[in-house]
Amino acid sequence: MSDPETRVEYAQLILDRHESAASEADIRSAVRDFLIQTGLAPESEIQQEEAPAPGESGRVDLRTRDVIFEFKRSIGNGITPHADYVTQLDDYLKSAVAGGQPQRFGILTDGKYWVLRWPGMGPVSTAGQHAFTLANAELGTRLYDWLRDQSQALEARGVPPSDEEVRSRLGEGPRFEQHIASLTELYQGNRDDPTIALKRDLWRNLLAAALGQVVEEEKDLDDLFVRHTYLSVVVGLALQSSFEIDVLTAATDRPAALLSGELFIAKTGVSGVIDSDFFTWPIEVDGERWLRDLAGRIVRFDWGKSESDIARVLYEAVIPAEDRKRLGEYYTPDWLATMIVDEVVTDPLNQRVLDPACGSGTFIFAAVRRYVEAARVEGWKPSRTLDGLLSHVLGIDVHPVAVHLARATWTFAAREAIREARNVDPHHAVSVPVYLGDSLQLKSAEDIFSRDKASLPVKIDDPSGAPRSFTLDFPLSLVEMPDWFEPLLAEVVAHIQAGLDPAIVLEAEAGIEGSDLEMLSETVETLQQLHHDGQDQIWAYYTKDLVRPLVLRKHKVDAIVGNPPWMTYHQTEAELRKSLETMSKGRYGIWTGGFYAKHQDLSRACSHCFQQVVDEDQVDGGEVDLVQLVAAEGDPAEALEAGEEAFDL
């Protein structure tokens, strides 16, 4: 890395060429020297006057590994470039991409004014990071930073993933905009693919359960689906990189194994955190190039040095603040989650802790860290620490992207225990105990455990676009044994996808007979029909997660921590509204008021509902201290004051 004096010195040479109206070649020479002398690009990687790709016409003035430069004596009127010059650079970028070259950005400059372009960018923008003006040589360091930000090849490696760095590199700026634009184009070109349409439908259904009526009113759910996909892939790549998986090489050689979790499970023995979920669709529709480009951005960081809830930081960066406010999504600061966990979890090695509306996992991060620290003080072996975590820190959420992030958060927090346990026993395997599902089971017309089955009602559109409703039923006795149920379900789905008879799998299981076998056979027939209709890529993931909260209900916990859903009755999804009202009036007796009763916040009802999963023998008087359920942004005094006011404490 160069010193500031060098950057200023060579920036002055660039300005001298511009101000003397030197030729394009002279300006190019000065910029080339700046790149070399400041360490932005080695001389061996700088090319001049070459075609944008083999066999293409035209000559690129200069390029580094992934940035094309086009030089002019004057790019236009000040920083506003001439349209013909922009078209020329855009054509070079298109040719480079079409020719399989790694270039993704182009820079049009006359030495003083610099304008950024990328394929498919649309109208020229000279705002924010899309342009730079070298007004004087003292800005040489800022030019250096601006150029470095546009090039993955020019960026430093091994950077600690601070909140600010993660936000600025992966949730803001031209690179982020380009990743979102490319992913949007990929999605729009394949949105009618049956598998992608199915994943979007299931994602939307769960989102509606999580966020209520506002989802029905959202103008651009497609944009949200794309952003959720980006967010989930970024977090998954970052997590794998933290375990020394070379995600850039894997994105080139084994992209499907990278996104499905195959590589991660082989490396760590951890399942249930990176999976074939709603957001693996890019590699099903030729999105490998997009994935490689994103992986190149991920490897800039040393994710092993992560010390905070990175998933929350990314979510707040990727989903605009106005969108989060409109969708009713409020995330808890790390300091507040830690304060509440420290207050409530007084015996971490013996208390089972649940966050039943865990979001991205901020409280889970704090609870896992507290458990690991306590185990270290006691001198526990890594395998004992890890096995204990699996039954002592749990999370559930109905928000599909939140669950993905929370699983990663749990794993980030438990990273050292996972590594150490794996080093001692290479075959040590675990499944992250964070589950996708409705912890209140509000869509059940009756207590689901009064029956002998777990039922998942599904509403999707068939390939023709017509509404389709069905139920997936599973014997409760089977669901209660996840170590048996999950591999069995995966094998059934694998047989269906391979064109084999899945009945063979059921018949080979001696423990399945009678009414259980009949129930499973009917469900398998439904899965076969979904496969026939091209809608079969998600069911193993969807099913094994949504049934798990039913099992957790039978295993009480000692403490509930978290930030409850902050929405009113009238904002909830229509199908859930009646259940909430019935429970509040009948079971809990907390329905108050007349016409305006439906404007009460659900957090009050949730505190009573969540009581069902708390071990009353471990809680004074059988009541949950509501401070465990309060979280607000601001300083500690404001947070506690908000909690007291919200719950009339």
Side-chain angles (χ1 to χ4, degrees):
M1 182 177 292
S2 61
D3 56 74
E5 290 77 12
T6 300
R7 299 168 198 167
V8 170
E9 176 186 351
Y10 283 89
Q12 185 63 63
L13 294 177
I14 294 174
L15 277 178
D16 289 345
R17 302 287 173 87
H18 169 79
E19 292 169 0
S20 65
S23 66
E24 295 173 8
D26 287 339
I27 296 172
R28 178 182 64 189
S29 177
V31 171
R32 177 179 179 276
D33 289 343
F34 183 89
L35 295 175
I36 294 172
Q37 297 302 324
T38 61
L40 282 172
E43 185 174 0
S44 60
E45 291 185 0
I46 295 178
Q47 300 173 335
Q48 300 180 147
E49 296 295 337
E50 291 194 0
E56 296 290 339
S57 60
R59 288 290 180 268
V60 172
D61 286 343
L62 183 150
R63 70 180 177 193
T64 61
R65 189 182 304 173
D66 61 354
V67 178
I68 288 176
F69 290 83
E70 180 64 25
F71 297 96
K72 302 297 179 185
R73 295 179 67 180
S74 173
I75 65 170
N77 182 14
I79 201 170
T80 303
H82 193 286
D84 289 345
Y85 297 160
V86 174
T87 299
Q88 180 184 9
L89 179 57
D90 285 354
D91 287 344
Y92 287 158
L93 291 168
K94 292 176 184 177
S95 296
V97 172
Q101 299 297 310
Q103 285 87 2
R104 293 293 184 273
F105 280 84
I107 294 175
L108 176 65
T109 182
D110 54 19
K112 181 176 182 179
Y113 301 108
W114 308 66
V115 176
L116 186 67
R117 299 292 296 166
W118 66 78
M121 179 178 173
V124 172
S125 172
T126 58
Q129 296 185 55
H130 298 132
F132 182 83
T133 299
L134 185 62
N136 57 68
E138 297 301 317
L139 296 177
T141 291
R142 290 181 59 185
L143 174 62
Y144 169 90
D145 292 336
W146 186 81
L147 289 171
R148 186 186 60 188
D149 288 346
Q150 315 320 326
S151 173
Q152 293 180 179
L154 304 180
E155 289 182 337
R157 296 292 186 265
V159 176
S162 67
D163 292 3
E164 182 180 355
E165 282 289 324
V166 169
R167 185 180 295 109
S168 66
R169 304 297 179 184
L170 294 170
E172 300 172 353
R175 279 279 174 187
F176 165 71
E177 293 176 29
Q178 192 265 349
H179 286 309
I180 292 294
S182 297
L183 188 59
T184 299
E185 182 179 3
L186 194 65
Y187 170 73
Q188 292 296 341
N190 296 276
R191 69 188 312 275
D192 294 329
D193 178 278
T195 296
I196 293 179
L198 170 65
K199 291 183 175 183
R200 185 198 179 279
D201 283 347
L202 294 176
W203 162 86
R204 183 247 169 247
N205 292 344
L206 289 170
L207 203 66
L211 303 178
Q213 193 67 27
V214 68
V215 173
E216 299 283 353
E217 302 164 358
E218 184 67 16
K219 294 180 179 179
D220 195 352
L221 277 179
D222 283 347
D223 177 69
L224 189 61
F225 182 58
V226 167
R227 286 176 179 267
H228 279 181
T229 299
Y230 169 84
L231 182 63
S232 297
V233 173
V234 166
V235 171
L237 294 180
L239 179 62
Q240 295 186 78
S241 184
S242 76
F243 282 89
E244 290 83 43
I245 293 176
D246 185 347
V247 297
L248 184 55
T249 298
T252 302
D253 299 338
R254 303 183 64 190
L258 182 64
L259 287 197
S260 70
E262 181 183 340
L263 292 179
F264 188 69
I265 293 172
K267 176 76 173 182
T268 66
V270 177
S271 60
V273 58
I274 299 173
D275 212 336
S276 296
D277 57 16
F278 305 105
F279 308 114
T280 58
W281 60 266
I283 57 170
E284 298 165 14
V285 290
D286 300 322
E288 290 85 357
R289 178 178 292 175
W290 176 83
L291 182 62
R292 288 195 301 271
D293 197 38
L294 184 59
R297 196 72 165 170
I298 294 296
V299 298
R300 176 182 189 273
F301 294 100
D302 181 354
W303 295 99
K305 297 179 180 178
S306 172
E307 292 296 332
S308 63
D309 179 8
I310 293 298
R312 175 189 57 79
V313 174
L314 279 167
Y315 194 92
E316 292 178 344
V318 171
I319 308 300
E322 60 271 19
D323 289 356
R324 285 185 277 116
K325 181 177 180 180
R326 186 173 64 255
L327 293 170
E329 297 175 335
Y330 301 96
Y331 284 78
T332 311
D334 290 342
W335 62 263
L336 182 54
T338 299
M339 183 182 75
I340 292 175
V341 168
D342 288 348
E343 174 73 20
V344 172
V345 186
T346 55
D347 187 9
L349 298 182
N350 294 301
Q351 288 176 289
R352 297 184 78 234
V353 181
L354 170 69
D355 185 345
C358 64
S360 66
T362 301
F363 284 90
I364 286 175
F365 188 88
V368 170
R369 284 293 180 92
R370 185 157 175 75
Y371 187 97
V372 171
E373 289 168 3
R376 184 172 290 114
V377 170
E378 293 295 321
W380 283 13
K381 293 182 178 180
S383 58
R384 183 183 179 188
T385 298
L386 188 54
D387 290 341
L389 267 176
L390 296 174
S391 60
H392 283 79
V393 182
L394 317 171
I396 307 173
D397 205 290
V398 73
H399 194 307
V401 73
V403 168
H404 184 97
L405 303 186
R407 288 170 175 163
T409 297
W410 191 102
T411 310
F412 267 122
R415 186 171 58 240
E416 291 308 315
I418 293 170
R419 283 174 173 162
E420 292 169 0
R422 191 71 169 176
N423 288 337
V424 173
D425 179 7
H427 302 292
H428 196 96
V430 299
S431 179
V432 173
V434 177
Y435 307 109
L436 176 66
D438 178 6
S439 57
L440 302 182
Q441 291 300 319
L442 294 176
K443 290 192 176 182
S444 299
E446 56 185 293
D447 188 342
I448 198 162
F449 288 103
S450 66
R451 303 191 296 260
D452 61 353
K453 64 182 179 181
S455 298
L456 296 179
V458 180
K459 294 181 179 180
I460 59 174
D461 292 337
D462 66 20
S464 68
R468 180 179 191 177
S469 299
F470 56 90
T471 300
L472 299 176
D473 295 325
F474 299 89
L476 201 57
S477 58
L478 178 60
V479 172
E480 289 178 334
M481 295 183 286
D483 291 341
W484 180 25
F485 170 65
E486 294 182 11
L488 175 67
L489 182 62
E491 190 173 357
V492 165
V493 172
H495 270 64
I496 293 174
Q497 293 176 349
L500 303 175
D501 184 1
I504 297 173
V505 179
L506 302 183
E507 293 169 359
E509 293 290 339
I512 306 176
E513 55 187 20
S515 59
D516 285 354
L517 179 59
E518 182 179 348
M519 185 190 305
L520 274 179
S521 296
E522 292 178 1
T523 296
V524 169
E525 287 180 10
T526 301
L527 294 177
Q528 283 182 293
Q529 184 60 49
L530 289 166
H531 172 77
H532 180 268
D533 296 339
Q535 295 181 302
D536 68 324
Q537 297 296 314
I538 193 69
W539 296 109
Y541 165 82
Y542 186 76
T543 301
K544 71 183 181 183
D545 278 306
L546 286 179
V547 299
R548 187 64 68 83
L550 311 183
V551 180
L552 291 177
R553 170 93 175 272
K554 283 197 169 182
H555 302 280
K556 300 293 185 177
V557 299
D558 305 302
I560 290 176
V561 295
N563 189 342
W566 292 96
M567 66 171 66
T568 58
Y569 284 89
H570 80 280
Q571 292 175 311
T572 58
E573 187 183 28
E575 189 173 347
L576 302 182
R577 211 170 297 147
K578 185 176 181 180
S579 295
L580 283 166
E581 183 175 345
T582 299
M583 293 169 66
S584 296
K585 286 180 176 178
R587 184 178 300 180
Y588 302 117
I590 59 173
W591 187 267
T592 58
F595 179 79
Y596 293 104
K598 293 184 179 181
H599 292 268
Q600 297 177 100
D601 202 285
L602 289 181
S603 56
R604 187 181 181 198
C606 288
S607 68
H608 286 261
C609 298
F610 293 157
Q611 176 65 35
Q612 299 173 55
V613 295
V614 176
D615 185 346
E616 297 186 2
D617 292 335
Q618 302 297 321
V619 181
D620 291 341
E623 294 294 330
V624 181
D625 184 352
L626 290 179
V627 73
Q628 301 172 45
L629 299 173
V630 178
E633 297 198 29
D635 63 40
E638 291 176 351
L640 294 177
E641 181 180 351
E644 292 170 357
E645 180 179 354
F647 292 102
D648 193 24
L649 298 179

Short mmCIF file of all heavy atoms in Angstrom, two decimals, residues 377-414:
data_model
loop_
_atom_site.label_atom_id
_atom_site.label_comp_id
_atom_site.label_asym_id
_atom_site.label_seq_id
_atom_site.Cartn_x
_atom_site.Cartn_y
_atom_site.Cartn_z
N VAL A 377 -15.23 -21.59 31.00
CA VAL A 377 -14.87 -21.40 32.41
C VAL A 377 -14.89 -22.73 33.15
O VAL A 377 -14.04 -23.00 34.01
CB VAL A 377 -15.83 -20.39 33.08
CG1 VAL A 377 -15.62 -20.37 34.59
CG2 VAL A 377 -15.61 -18.99 32.50
N GLU A 378 -15.85 -23.59 32.81
CA GLU A 378 -15.97 -24.89 33.46
C GLU A 378 -14.97 -25.91 32.93
O GLU A 378 -14.85 -27.01 33.46
CB GLU A 378 -17.39 -25.44 33.28
CG GLU A 378 -18.47 -24.65 34.01
CD GLU A 378 -18.31 -24.73 35.52
OE1 GLU A 378 -17.97 -25.82 36.03
OE2 GLU A 378 -18.52 -23.70 36.19
N GLY A 379 -14.25 -25.55 31.87
CA GLY A 379 -13.26 -26.45 31.29
C GLY A 379 -13.85 -27.59 30.49
O GLY A 379 -13.25 -28.67 30.39
N TRP A 380 -15.03 -27.38 29.91
CA TRP A 380 -15.68 -28.44 29.14
C TRP A 380 -14.92 -28.75 27.86
O TRP A 380 -14.30 -27.88 27.25
CB TRP A 380 -17.10 -28.02 28.77
CG TRP A 380 -18.07 -28.13 29.91
CD1 TRP A 380 -17.78 -28.31 31.23
CD2 TRP A 380 -19.49 -28.04 29.81
NE1 TRP A 380 -18.93 -28.34 31.97
CE2 TRP A 380 -20.01 -28.19 31.13
CE3 TRP A 380 -20.38 -27.85 28.77
CZ2 TRP A 380 -21.37 -28.15 31.40
CZ3 TRP A 380 -21.74 -27.82 29.02
CH2 TRP A 380 -22.22 -27.97 30.34
N LYS A 381 -15.01 -29.99 27.42
CA LYS A 381 -14.45 -30.39 26.14
C LYS A 381 -15.31 -29.80 25.02
O LYS A 381 -16.51 -29.60 25.19
CB LYS A 381 -14.41 -31.90 26.02
CG LYS A 381 -13.42 -32.56 26.97
CD LYS A 381 -13.39 -34.07 26.76
CE LYS A 381 -12.38 -34.73 27.69
NZ LYS A 381 -12.34 -36.20 27.51
N PRO A 382 -14.70 -29.53 23.84
CA PRO A 382 -15.45 -28.91 22.74
C PRO A 382 -16.71 -29.68 22.35
O PRO A 382 -17.75 -29.08 22.10
CB PRO A 382 -14.43 -28.89 21.60
CG PRO A 382 -13.10 -28.88 22.28
CD PRO A 382 -13.28 -29.70 23.51
N SER A 383 -16.63 -31.01 22.29
CA SER A 383 -17.79 -31.79 21.87
C SER A 383 -18.94 -31.64 22.86
O SER A 383 -20.11 -31.56 22.47
CB SER A 383 -17.41 -33.26 21.71
OG SER A 383 -16.88 -33.78 22.92
N ARG A 384 -18.61 -31.59 24.14
CA ARG A 384 -19.66 -31.42 25.15
C ARG A 384 -20.27 -30.02 25.05
O ARG A 384 -21.49 -29.86 25.18
CB ARG A 384 -19.09 -31.63 26.56
CG ARG A 384 -20.15 -31.55 27.65
CD ARG A 384 -19.55 -31.70 29.04
NE ARG A 384 -20.59 -31.59 30.07
CZ ARG A 384 -20.35 -31.52 31.36
NH1 ARG A 384 -19.09 -31.58 31.81
NH2 ARG A 384 -21.35 -31.41 32.22
N THR A 385 -19.44 -29.03 24.81
CA THR A 385 -19.95 -27.67 24.64
C THR A 385 -20.90 -27.58 23.46
O THR A 385 -22.00 -27.02 23.57
CB THR A 385 -18.79 -26.68 24.43
OG1 THR A 385 -17.94 -26.69 25.57
CG2 THR A 385 -19.30 -25.27 24.18
N LEU A 386 -20.49 -28.16 22.35
CA LEU A 386 -21.30 -28.08 21.14
C LEU A 386 -22.60 -28.85 21.30
O LEU A 386 -23.68 -28.36 20.93
CB LEU A 386 -20.50 -28.61 19.95
CG LEU A 386 -21.14 -28.43 18.56
CD1 LEU A 386 -21.50 -26.98 18.32
CD2 LEU A 386 -20.18 -28.93 17.48
N ASP A 387 -22.53 -30.03 21.84
CA ASP A 387 -23.75 -30.83 22.03
C ASP A 387 -24.70 -30.13 23.00
O ASP A 387 -25.93 -30.18 22.81
CB ASP A 387 -23.39 -32.22 22.57
CG ASP A 387 -22.68 -33.08 21.53
OD1 ASP A 387 -22.79 -32.75 20.33
OD2 ASP A 387 -22.02 -34.06 21.92
N GLY A 388 -24.15 -29.47 24.02
CA GLY A 388 -25.00 -28.74 24.95
C GLY A 388 -25.70 -27.57 24.29
O GLY A 388 -26.87 -27.29 24.56
N LEU A 389 -24.98 -26.88 23.42
CA LEU A 389 -25.57 -25.74 22.71
C LEU A 389 -26.80 -26.15 21.91
O LEU A 389 -27.78 -25.39 21.81
CB LEU A 389 -24.54 -25.14 21.75
CG LEU A 389 -23.68 -23.99 22.26
CD1 LEU A 389 -22.67 -23.60 21.19
CD2 LEU A 389 -24.54 -22.80 22.64
N LEU A 390 -26.76 -27.34 21.33
CA LEU A 390 -27.84 -27.78 20.46
C LEU A 390 -29.18 -27.88 21.18
O LEU A 390 -30.23 -27.75 20.56
CB LEU A 390 -27.50 -29.14 19.83
CG LEU A 390 -26.28 -29.14 18.90
CD1 LEU A 390 -25.94 -30.54 18.46
CD2 LEU A 390 -26.53 -28.24 17.70
N SER A 391 -29.14 -28.12 22.47
CA SER A 391 -30.38 -28.26 23.22
C SER A 391 -30.64 -27.08 24.16
O SER A 391 -31.69 -27.05 24.82
CB SER A 391 -30.36 -29.55 24.04
OG SER A 391 -29.27 -29.56 24.95
N HIS A 392 -29.73 -26.11 24.19
CA HIS A 392 -29.87 -25.02 25.15
C HIS A 392 -30.09 -23.64 24.53
O HIS A 392 -30.51 -22.73 25.24
CB HIS A 392 -28.65 -24.98 26.08
CG HIS A 392 -28.67 -26.03 27.14
ND1 HIS A 392 -28.31 -27.33 26.88
CD2 HIS A 392 -29.04 -25.99 28.45
CE1 HIS A 392 -28.44 -28.05 27.99
NE2 HIS A 392 -28.88 -27.26 28.95
N VAL A 393 -29.81 -23.47 23.26
CA VAL A 393 -30.06 -22.18 22.61
C VAL A 393 -30.80 -22.45 21.31
O VAL A 393 -30.22 -22.95 20.34
CB VAL A 393 -28.75 -21.41 22.33
CG1 VAL A 393 -29.07 -20.06 21.69
CG2 VAL A 393 -27.96 -21.20 23.62
N LEU A 394 -32.08 -22.09 21.29
CA LEU A 394 -32.97 -22.45 20.18
C LEU A 394 -33.65 -21.20 19.62
O LEU A 394 -33.83 -20.21 20.32
CB LEU A 394 -34.05 -23.42 20.66
CG LEU A 394 -33.61 -24.57 21.57
CD1 LEU A 394 -34.81 -25.30 22.12
CD2 LEU A 394 -32.71 -25.53 20.81
N GLY A 395 -34.03 -21.28 18.36
CA GLY A 395 -34.73 -20.16 17.73
C GLY A 395 -35.76 -20.64 16.74
O GLY A 395 -35.62 -21.70 16.12
N ILE A 396 -36.82 -19.85 16.59
CA ILE A 396 -37.86 -20.10 15.59
C ILE A 396 -38.27 -18.76 14.99
O ILE A 396 -38.31 -17.74 15.69
CB ILE A 396 -39.12 -20.75 16.20
CG1 ILE A 396 -38.78 -22.00 17.01
CG2 ILE A 396 -40.13 -21.12 15.11
CD1 ILE A 396 -39.97 -22.57 17.76
N ASP A 397 -38.58 -18.76 13.72
CA ASP A 397 -39.18 -17.59 13.10
C ASP A 397 -39.92 -18.03 11.84
O ASP A 397 -39.52 -19.01 11.20
CB ASP A 397 -38.13 -16.53 12.74
CG ASP A 397 -38.73 -15.13 12.67
OD1 ASP A 397 -39.51 -14.86 11.73
OD2 ASP A 397 -38.45 -14.31 13.56
N VAL A 398 -40.97 -17.31 11.52
CA VAL A 398 -41.76 -17.64 10.34
C VAL A 398 -41.28 -16.86 9.12
O VAL A 398 -41.72 -17.10 8.01
CB VAL A 398 -43.26 -17.35 10.61
CG1 VAL A 398 -43.53 -15.86 10.62
CG2 VAL A 398 -44.15 -18.08 9.61
N HIS A 399 -40.36 -15.93 9.33
CA HIS A 399 -39.81 -15.12 8.23
C HIS A 399 -38.71 -15.92 7.54
O HIS A 399 -37.69 -16.23 8.14
CB HIS A 399 -39.24 -13.82 8.81
CG HIS A 399 -38.93 -12.77 7.79
ND1 HIS A 399 -38.16 -13.01 6.68
CD2 HIS A 399 -39.31 -11.46 7.72
CE1 HIS A 399 -38.06 -11.90 5.98
NE2 HIS A 399 -38.75 -10.95 6.58
N PRO A 400 -38.87 -16.28 6.26
CA PRO A 400 -37.93 -17.20 5.61
C PRO A 400 -36.49 -16.70 5.52
O PRO A 400 -35.56 -17.48 5.71
CB PRO A 400 -38.53 -17.39 4.21
CG PRO A 400 -39.44 -16.22 4.01
CD PRO A 400 -39.97 -15.88 5.37
N VAL A 401 -36.29 -15.42 5.28
CA VAL A 401 -34.92 -14.93 5.19
C VAL A 401 -34.33 -14.75 6.58
O VAL A 401 -33.13 -14.95 6.79
CB VAL A 401 -34.83 -13.63 4.37
CG1 VAL A 401 -35.38 -12.45 5.13
CG2 VAL A 401 -33.38 -13.34 3.96
N ALA A 402 -35.17 -14.39 7.55
CA ALA A 402 -34.68 -14.23 8.91
C ALA A 402 -34.12 -15.54 9.44
O ALA A 402 -33.08 -15.56 10.12
CB ALA A 402 -35.80 -13.73 9.82
N VAL A 403 -34.79 -16.65 9.15
CA VAL A 403 -34.32 -17.95 9.61
C VAL A 403 -32.96 -18.28 9.00
O VAL A 403 -32.05 -18.78 9.68
CB VAL A 403 -35.35 -19.05 9.27
CG1 VAL A 403 -34.76 -20.44 9.46
CG2 VAL A 403 -36.58 -18.88 10.13
N HIS A 404 -32.81 -18.00 7.73
CA HIS A 404 -31.52 -18.24 7.07
C HIS A 404 -30.41 -17.45 7.78
O HIS A 404 -29.33 -17.99 8.05
CB HIS A 404 -31.62 -17.83 5.60
CG HIS A 404 -30.40 -18.12 4.80
ND1 HIS A 404 -30.26 -19.23 4.01
CD2 HIS A 404 -29.24 -17.44 4.66
CE1 HIS A 404 -29.08 -19.24 3.43
NE2 HIS A 404 -28.43 -18.15 3.80
N LEU A 405 -30.69 -16.20 8.08
CA LEU A 405 -29.69 -15.36 8.73
C LEU A 405 -29.44 -15.81 10.16
O LEU A 405 -28.30 -15.81 10.63
CB LEU A 405 -30.16 -13.90 8.72
CG LEU A 405 -30.47 -13.28 7.36
CD1 LEU A 405 -30.78 -11.80 7.52
CD2 LEU A 405 -29.33 -13.48 6.38
N ALA A 406 -30.50 -16.20 10.87
CA ALA A 406 -30.33 -16.61 12.26
C ALA A 406 -29.52 -17.89 12.38
O ALA A 406 -28.74 -18.07 13.32
CB ALA A 406 -31.70 -16.79 12.92
N ARG A 407 -29.68 -18.80 11.44
CA ARG A 407 -28.87 -20.02 11.46
C ARG A 407 -27.39 -19.67 11.28
O ARG A 407 -26.51 -20.23 11.94
CB ARG A 407 -29.33 -20.95 10.33
CG ARG A 407 -30.66 -21.60 10.61
CD ARG A 407 -31.17 -22.32 9.39
NE ARG A 407 -32.40 -23.04 9.70
CZ ARG A 407 -33.25 -23.47 8.80
NH1 ARG A 407 -33.01 -23.27 7.52
NH2 ARG A 407 -34.34 -24.13 9.15
N ALA A 408 -27.14 -18.76 10.37
CA ALA A 408 -25.76 -18.34 10.17
C ALA A 408 -25.23 -17.64 11.42
O ALA A 408 -24.08 -17.86 11.82
CB ALA A 408 -25.67 -17.41 8.96
N THR A 409 -26.07 -16.83 12.06
CA THR A 409 -25.67 -16.14 13.27
C THR A 409 -25.34 -17.12 14.39
O THR A 409 -24.33 -16.97 15.09
CB THR A 409 -26.80 -15.18 13.72
OG1 THR A 409 -26.99 -14.18 12.71
CG2 THR A 409 -26.45 -14.51 15.03
N TRP A 410 -26.17 -18.14 14.58
CA TRP A 410 -25.91 -19.18 15.58
C TRP A 410 -24.55 -19.82 15.31
O TRP A 410 -23.74 -20.03 16.21
CB TRP A 410 -27.01 -20.23 15.51
CG TRP A 410 -27.07 -21.24 16.62
CD1 TRP A 410 -27.93 -21.24 17.68
CD2 TRP A 410 -26.26 -22.42 16.77
NE1 TRP A 410 -27.70 -22.32 18.49
CE2 TRP A 410 -26.68 -23.07 17.96
CE3 TRP A 410 -25.23 -22.98 16.05
CZ2 TRP A 410 -26.11 -24.25 18.42
CZ3 TRP A 410 -24.64 -24.16 16.50
CH2 TRP A 410 -25.08 -24.79 17.67
N THR A 411 -24.29 -20.12 14.05
CA THR A 411 -23.05 -20.80 13.68
C THR A 411 -21.84 -19.89 13.82
O THR A 411 -20.77 -20.33 14.27
CB THR A 411 -23.16 -21.34 12.24
OG1 THR A 411 -24.37 -22.07 12.10
CG2 THR A 411 -21.98 -22.24 11.90
N PHE A 412 -21.98 -18.62 13.43
CA PHE A 412 -20.90 -17.66 13.65
C PHE A 412 -20.52 -17.60 15.12
O PHE A 412 -19.34 -17.64 15.49
CB PHE A 412 -21.33 -16.25 13.19
CG PHE A 412 -20.96 -15.91 11.77
CD1 PHE A 412 -21.93 -15.56 10.86
CD2 PHE A 412 -19.63 -15.92 11.36
CE1 PHE A 412 -21.61 -15.22 9.55
CE2 PHE A 412 -19.29 -15.59 10.06
CZ PHE A 412 -20.28 -15.24 9.15
N ALA A 413 -21.54 -17.51 15.99
CA ALA A 413 -21.28 -17.40 17.42
C ALA A 413 -20.65 -18.66 18.00
O ALA A 413 -19.88 -18.59 18.95
CB ALA A 413 -22.59 -17.07 18.15
N ALA A 414 -20.99 -19.82 17.43
CA ALA A 414 -20.48 -21.10 17.94
C ALA A 414 -19.26 -21.58 17.16
O ALA A 414 -18.84 -22.73 17.33
CB ALA A 414 -21.58 -22.15 17.87
#
